[in-house]
Amino acid sequence: MSGLVNYVSCGVLWLGLLVKAPDLLRHGRDPYLRALCAVLGLAGLCFFLGAPPTVGAVNRIGGVPNLAAPITYAAITGYCAASQVLIVHWRGGPRVRRTVRRWMVAYTLVVLGIAVTFALGDAPVERRTDLDTYYATTPFMAQMIVLYLLAHLTTTTVTTVSALRWARGVRGGLRAGLVLLGTGTLCGAGYSVAKLIAVGARWSGRDWSALGTTVSPAAAGLGALLTVVGVLVPLMTPRVAEGWRARRTYARLEPLERALEDLLTRRTLRLPRPRFASPTTRLMWRQTSIHNALGHLDAYFDRELYGRTRAGALAATGDPERAEAAAWAAVITAAVRREADPARPGPPAGGAGRLPGGVPDPAVLARIADALAGTVPLPAAPVTPSGPTAGTTAGTTAGTTAGTTAGTTAGTKAGTTAGTTAGTTAGTS
């Protein structure tokens, strides 16, 4: 037999170990992380040692027929101990260390029992695939086989029950991971159950060795795949969710960056676009470009325009956050136009300067981009700082932005009324 199932299962498990290796190097003292890596490493080792070509190589190198059997069984027992320790650390509690010590002592005794019974038994004929059923009636060898199978069945049963019971009380990626882990260990239990049935049949004089040579490896391989996915899902879910949020925010900020495009290019305020970068890195790049542009426009911001626009939008929508975004959108639009106007190279004569709170935070930037998404980024004419014309223009800008922002709440009529009222009041005053 080629042992393809064993080697593929081993590769899947060690791939999961490779994914977690950097974290293990950085946080080597984390007991949970050590237990997790031990589970992945030992599970892969069990499949590697159990492959028929590996069994033949170990027996040949060791010079002892069937020497690979106790070595493989000891690896399986070590995997069982690591699985129990992982579950204990995963659940936590006040008696974690005591429980871990008990499991370690129990499985250490199992390993010693495997070594002693193999030394006392007689297994002169090499069996690479059906040793369990072939020596099921041989003294001491039978005890060794039953000992490791019962240890494995105990581990898979406890892990399955613990994982599925815990999954009922959690949500999200942790629940999905626990369900997969519980299902995987349940499939893994099929390995020891099929072997035990085959051994029991051998005791009664029947030959059901096919259960141990075909059903058991298939159950163990499927269990390994589900187990490694179940272990990795809770670890990868936060990263995937963070990347998804970063992609959405990156796309959401596009209207704001587009409004600042001319300024960013003309003043060389944008950093080089990162290539083959993660969504989080691309988002940081876009946010940095926007902050650079807003920092340059700081002296061109009109406080009076901000106040009028915010008041008009707040009257129309009743939503302070949307009103703030609409005011920022109007101020940024006006500042971009003023900064680009060669006839007015300097800041406004009055009402200019840093707005309350300085550069908006990321959440406000996203709302500003939403406000700009439904308006023309640059007005047709520059906004004048004072006088009747300033009042009329500011009122019109405030009304337009407030009306657009309030569309879903108050409709076009509310926006028009707010704009006209703000414009008339500002012009009259």
Side-chain angles (χ1 to χ4, degrees), residues 255 258 367-377 400-401 403-405:
R258 189 167 59 246
R367 291 195 291 269
I368 296 172
D370 292 341
L372 288 170
T375 61
V376 179
T400 303
T401 307
T404 302
T405 307

PDB file of all heavy atoms in Angstrom, residues 255 258 367-377 400-401 403-405:
ATOM      1  N   PRO A 255     -15.241  58.365  -2.442  1.00  0.00           N
ATOM      2  CA  PRO A 255     -15.736  59.701  -2.826  1.00  0.00           C
ATOM      3  C   PRO A 255     -14.952  60.849  -2.191  1.00  0.00           C
ATOM      4  O   PRO A 255     -14.733  61.885  -2.821  1.00  0.00           O
ATOM      5  CB  PRO A 255     -17.196  59.681  -2.348  1.00  0.00           C
ATOM      6  CG  PRO A 255     -17.560  58.234  -2.319  1.00  0.00           C
ATOM      7  CD  PRO A 255     -16.324  57.525  -1.896  1.00  0.00           C
ATOM      8  N   ARG A 258     -11.643  61.136  -3.936  1.00  0.00           N
ATOM      9  CA  ARG A 258     -11.857  61.687  -5.266  1.00  0.00           C
ATOM     10  C   ARG A 258     -12.048  63.203  -5.200  1.00  0.00           C
ATOM     11  O   ARG A 258     -11.578  63.943  -6.077  1.00  0.00           O
ATOM     12  CB  ARG A 258     -13.064  61.024  -5.916  1.00  0.00           C
ATOM     13  CG  ARG A 258     -13.238  61.386  -7.378  1.00  0.00           C
ATOM     14  CD  ARG A 258     -14.247  60.481  -8.059  1.00  0.00           C
ATOM     15  NE  ARG A 258     -15.550  60.551  -7.435  1.00  0.00           N
ATOM     16  CZ  ARG A 258     -16.117  59.532  -6.787  1.00  0.00           C
ATOM     17  NH1 ARG A 258     -15.492  58.372  -6.665  1.00  0.00           N
ATOM     18  NH2 ARG A 258     -17.320  59.669  -6.231  1.00  0.00           N
ATOM     19  N   ARG A 367     -18.386  58.900   7.098  1.00  0.00           N
ATOM     20  CA  ARG A 367     -19.675  59.576   6.939  1.00  0.00           C
ATOM     21  C   ARG A 367     -19.560  60.778   6.008  1.00  0.00           C
ATOM     22  O   ARG A 367     -20.494  61.093   5.266  1.00  0.00           O
ATOM     23  CB  ARG A 367     -20.211  59.991   8.315  1.00  0.00           C
ATOM     24  CG  ARG A 367     -20.628  58.823   9.191  1.00  0.00           C
ATOM     25  CD  ARG A 367     -21.470  59.273  10.366  1.00  0.00           C
ATOM     26  NE  ARG A 367     -20.687  60.041  11.324  1.00  0.00           N
ATOM     27  CZ  ARG A 367     -20.037  59.524  12.363  1.00  0.00           C
ATOM     28  NH1 ARG A 367     -20.063  58.208  12.555  1.00  0.00           N
ATOM     29  NH2 ARG A 367     -19.366  60.285  13.200  1.00  0.00           N
ATOM     30  N   ILE A 368     -18.412  61.465   6.049  1.00  0.00           N
ATOM     31  CA  ILE A 368     -18.194  62.570   5.109  1.00  0.00           C
ATOM     32  C   ILE A 368     -18.194  62.045   3.676  1.00  0.00           C
ATOM     33  O   ILE A 368     -18.780  62.650   2.768  1.00  0.00           O
ATOM     34  CB  ILE A 368     -16.870  63.285   5.421  1.00  0.00           C
ATOM     35  CG1 ILE A 368     -16.933  63.941   6.799  1.00  0.00           C
ATOM     36  CG2 ILE A 368     -16.547  64.319   4.354  1.00  0.00           C
ATOM     37  CD1 ILE A 368     -15.602  64.508   7.269  1.00  0.00           C
ATOM     38  N   ALA A 369     -17.532  60.905   3.470  1.00  0.00           N
ATOM     39  CA  ALA A 369     -17.519  60.311   2.134  1.00  0.00           C
ATOM     40  C   ALA A 369     -18.923  59.938   1.690  1.00  0.00           C
ATOM     41  O   ALA A 369     -19.283  60.107   0.510  1.00  0.00           O
ATOM     42  CB  ALA A 369     -16.607  59.079   2.124  1.00  0.00           C
ATOM     43  N   ASP A 370     -19.747  59.457   2.622  1.00  0.00           N
ATOM     44  CA  ASP A 370     -21.136  59.145   2.272  1.00  0.00           C
ATOM     45  C   ASP A 370     -21.891  60.400   1.851  1.00  0.00           C
ATOM     46  O   ASP A 370     -22.699  60.373   0.915  1.00  0.00           O
ATOM     47  CB  ASP A 370     -21.838  58.491   3.472  1.00  0.00           C
ATOM     48  CG  ASP A 370     -21.292  57.108   3.773  1.00  0.00           C
ATOM     49  OD1 ASP A 370     -20.656  56.514   2.883  1.00  0.00           O
ATOM     50  OD2 ASP A 370     -21.495  56.619   4.906  1.00  0.00           O
ATOM     51  N   ALA A 371     -21.638  61.522   2.556  1.00  0.00           N
ATOM     52  CA  ALA A 371     -22.305  62.775   2.196  1.00  0.00           C
ATOM     53  C   ALA A 371     -21.867  63.258   0.822  1.00  0.00           C
ATOM     54  O   ALA A 371     -22.675  63.753   0.030  1.00  0.00           O
ATOM     55  CB  ALA A 371     -22.008  63.842   3.260  1.00  0.00           C
ATOM     56  N   LEU A 372     -20.575  63.091   0.513  1.00  0.00           N
ATOM     57  CA  LEU A 372     -20.076  63.519  -0.789  1.00  0.00           C
ATOM     58  C   LEU A 372     -20.515  62.600  -1.913  1.00  0.00           C
ATOM     59  O   LEU A 372     -20.538  63.000  -3.072  1.00  0.00           O
ATOM     60  CB  LEU A 372     -18.541  63.582  -0.754  1.00  0.00           C
ATOM     61  CG  LEU A 372     -17.924  64.730   0.050  1.00  0.00           C
ATOM     62  CD1 LEU A 372     -16.428  64.529   0.203  1.00  0.00           C
ATOM     63  CD2 LEU A 372     -18.211  66.069  -0.631  1.00  0.00           C
ATOM     64  N   ALA A 373     -20.857  61.377  -1.605  1.00  0.00           N
ATOM     65  CA  ALA A 373     -21.201  60.409  -2.647  1.00  0.00           C
ATOM     66  C   ALA A 373     -22.450  60.821  -3.413  1.00  0.00           C
ATOM     67  O   ALA A 373     -22.608  60.484  -4.585  1.00  0.00           O
ATOM     68  CB  ALA A 373     -21.402  59.020  -2.035  1.00  0.00           C
ATOM     69  N   GLY A 374     -23.330  61.615  -2.793  1.00  0.00           N
ATOM     70  CA  GLY A 374     -24.546  62.021  -3.482  1.00  0.00           C
ATOM     71  C   GLY A 374     -24.543  63.464  -3.922  1.00  0.00           C
ATOM     72  O   GLY A 374     -25.579  63.984  -4.318  1.00  0.00           O
ATOM     73  N   THR A 375     -23.391  64.157  -3.886  1.00  0.00           N
ATOM     74  CA  THR A 375     -23.301  65.555  -4.282  1.00  0.00           C
ATOM     75  C   THR A 375     -22.163  65.740  -5.257  1.00  0.00           C
ATOM     76  O   THR A 375     -21.336  64.856  -5.442  1.00  0.00           O
ATOM     77  CB  THR A 375     -23.058  66.467  -3.062  1.00  0.00           C
ATOM     78  OG1 THR A 375     -21.813  66.093  -2.464  1.00  0.00           O
ATOM     79  CG2 THR A 375     -24.179  66.338  -2.046  1.00  0.00           C
ATOM     80  N   VAL A 376     -22.123  66.903  -5.893  1.00  0.00           N
ATOM     81  CA  VAL A 376     -20.997  67.255  -6.760  1.00  0.00           C
ATOM     82  C   VAL A 376     -19.835  67.632  -5.864  1.00  0.00           C
ATOM     83  O   VAL A 376     -19.957  68.556  -5.046  1.00  0.00           O
ATOM     84  CB  VAL A 376     -21.350  68.424  -7.690  1.00  0.00           C
ATOM     85  CG1 VAL A 376     -20.164  68.788  -8.574  1.00  0.00           C
ATOM     86  CG2 VAL A 376     -22.560  68.051  -8.537  1.00  0.00           C
ATOM     87  N   PRO A 377     -18.652  66.967  -5.964  1.00  0.00           N
ATOM     88  CA  PRO A 377     -17.568  67.233  -5.032  1.00  0.00           C
ATOM     89  C   PRO A 377     -17.121  68.679  -5.017  1.00  0.00           C
ATOM     90  O   PRO A 377     -16.852  69.229  -3.961  1.00  0.00           O
ATOM     91  CB  PRO A 377     -16.455  66.306  -5.522  1.00  0.00           C
ATOM     92  CG  PRO A 377     -17.176  65.216  -6.269  1.00  0.00           C
ATOM     93  CD  PRO A 377     -18.347  65.896  -6.903  1.00  0.00           C
ATOM     94  N   THR A 400     -28.103  72.555   0.000  1.00  0.00           N
ATOM     95  CA  THR A 400     -27.903  71.415  -0.913  1.00  0.00           C
ATOM     96  C   THR A 400     -27.365  70.204  -0.172  1.00  0.00           C
ATOM     97  O   THR A 400     -27.858  69.089  -0.315  1.00  0.00           O
ATOM     98  CB  THR A 400     -26.932  71.823  -2.037  1.00  0.00           C
ATOM     99  OG1 THR A 400     -27.448  72.956  -2.701  1.00  0.00           O
ATOM    100  CG2 THR A 400     -26.737  70.679  -3.008  1.00  0.00           C
ATOM    101  N   THR A 401     -26.301  70.422   0.653  1.00  0.00           N
ATOM    102  CA  THR A 401     -25.704  69.293   1.368  1.00  0.00           C
ATOM    103  C   THR A 401     -26.663  68.715   2.380  1.00  0.00           C
ATOM    104  O   THR A 401     -26.808  67.501   2.523  1.00  0.00           O
ATOM    105  CB  THR A 401     -24.414  69.766   2.080  1.00  0.00           C
ATOM    106  OG1 THR A 401     -23.579  70.412   1.122  1.00  0.00           O
ATOM    107  CG2 THR A 401     -23.684  68.583   2.707  1.00  0.00           C
ATOM    108  N   GLY A 403     -29.916  68.890   2.296  1.00  0.00           N
ATOM    109  CA  GLY A 403     -31.019  68.209   1.602  1.00  0.00           C
ATOM    110  C   GLY A 403     -30.607  66.841   1.138  1.00  0.00           C
ATOM    111  O   GLY A 403     -31.364  65.881   1.240  1.00  0.00           O
ATOM    112  N   THR A 404     -29.388  66.749   0.598  1.00  0.00           N
ATOM    113  CA  THR A 404     -28.923  65.440   0.124  1.00  0.00           C
ATOM    114  C   THR A 404     -28.763  64.473   1.281  1.00  0.00           C
ATOM    115  O   THR A 404     -29.151  63.314   1.219  1.00  0.00           O
ATOM    116  CB  THR A 404     -27.579  65.595  -0.605  1.00  0.00           C
ATOM    117  OG1 THR A 404     -27.761  66.505  -1.670  1.00  0.00           O
ATOM    118  CG2 THR A 404     -27.093  64.266  -1.137  1.00  0.00           C
ATOM    119  N   THR A 405     -28.155  64.940   2.379  1.00  0.00           N
ATOM    120  CA  THR A 405     -27.926  64.064   3.526  1.00  0.00           C
ATOM    121  C   THR A 405     -29.225  63.644   4.172  1.00  0.00           C
ATOM    122  O   THR A 405     -29.369  62.549   4.688  1.00  0.00           O
ATOM    123  CB  THR A 405     -27.050  64.791   4.563  1.00  0.00           C
ATOM    124  OG1 THR A 405     -25.877  65.259   3.903  1.00  0.00           O
ATOM    125  CG2 THR A 405     -26.663  63.863   5.699  1.00  0.00           C
TER     126      THR A 405
END
